[in-house]
Amino acid sequence: MFHRTARLFLRPAWPEDWEAVLGGIAEEGIVRNLARAPWPYGPEEARTFAAMPQNPCRPHFLVVHADSGQVVGSAGLGDHHGEAELGYWLARPFWGRGFATEAAAGVIEIARLLGHQRVHAGHFVDNPASGRVLRKLGFVPTGLTRPRMSCARGCEVPAHEYILNLEAEAVPHMRAA
């Protein structure tokens, strides 16, 4: 599965992408904000990620800059108690340029096309920038803050939970944070 946004190309990771994945994610400041990525994040973890099989109902993508071909990060759908959950990360050089919002919006379009009725998301309390991205995309806080495992930190960390009802709107839109 592939998807194109205004500036980005979302495509599956291929085994030969492992070095680009490692170059983008192998920084503690990035990995500590992810639930499933370990720290340190090395070549073996990058190879495993790049070779991970796709779930057609919960695809994950490399986010590639359409003009330069550079790997910007990753975005996709995972599982949250049987429902879709949005996840993403960006390499530090691409922070603050709207790429997270654009990539996540592309994943939400795919979720809608796949027939998902809603998408869950969350962020660790100490990562408010991710909360701003989620609110721009129309996610609504559930009011719940729960401990969630951070493999990189080796412990549970409080995380705010959000939900986006895809049935409520036929056309995706973005809101100001």
Side-chain angles (χ1 to χ4, degrees):
M1 187 176 300
F2 299 83
H3 187 69
R4 175 70 196 260
T5 68
R7 300 176 294 167
L8 304 171
F9 188 51
L10 281 62
R11 67 165 176 83
W14 298 310
E16 58 268 23
D17 290 320
W18 76 268
E19 289 178 284
V21 169
L22 182 62
I25 194 175
E27 180 182 328
E28 189 174 11
I30 295 170
V31 177
R32 71 186 315 273
N33 289 319
L34 304 175
R36 297 179 185 104
W39 183 256
Y41 192 97
E44 190 57 37
E45 289 79 15
R47 284 185 186 98
T48 299
F49 177 82
M52 192 167 45
Q54 285 285 349
N55 175 337
C57 295
R58 307 246 195 305
H60 59 276
F61 305 93
L62 273 189
V63 178
V64 179
H65 192 278
D67 292 336
S68 71
Q70 285 184 285
V71 171
V72 171
S74 179
L77 297 174
D79 186 72
H80 179 82
H81 304 294
E83 292 192 289
E85 179 180 45
L86 174 69
Y88 53 87
W89 62 264
L90 290 182
R92 190 175 295 275
F94 301 100
W95 289 10
R97 296 166 54 184
F99 290 130
T101 304
E102 186 173 332
V107 172
I108 291 166
E109 288 176 33
I110 291 166
R112 186 176 274 112
L113 291 170
L114 290 172
H116 292 289
Q117 296 176 0
R118 57 187 178 180
V119 176
H120 295 263
H123 69 87
F124 293 123
V125 172
D126 60 357
N127 182 17
S130 195
R132 288 189 294 275
V133 168
L134 295 174
R135 287 188 300 280
K136 280 186 217 175
L137 292 164
F139 279 84
V140 176
T142 64
L144 298 173
T145 300
R146 295 184 184 173
R148 180 152 188 182
M149 185 64 188
S150 167
C151 291
R153 301 182 202 201
C155 63
E156 290 186 332
V157 179
H160 295 307
E161 296 182 3
Y162 293 75
I163 195 150
L164 177 63
N165 183 353
L166 298 180
E167 293 180 319
E169 302 171 32
V171 179
H173 74 283
M174 295 194 310
R175 299 179 179 146

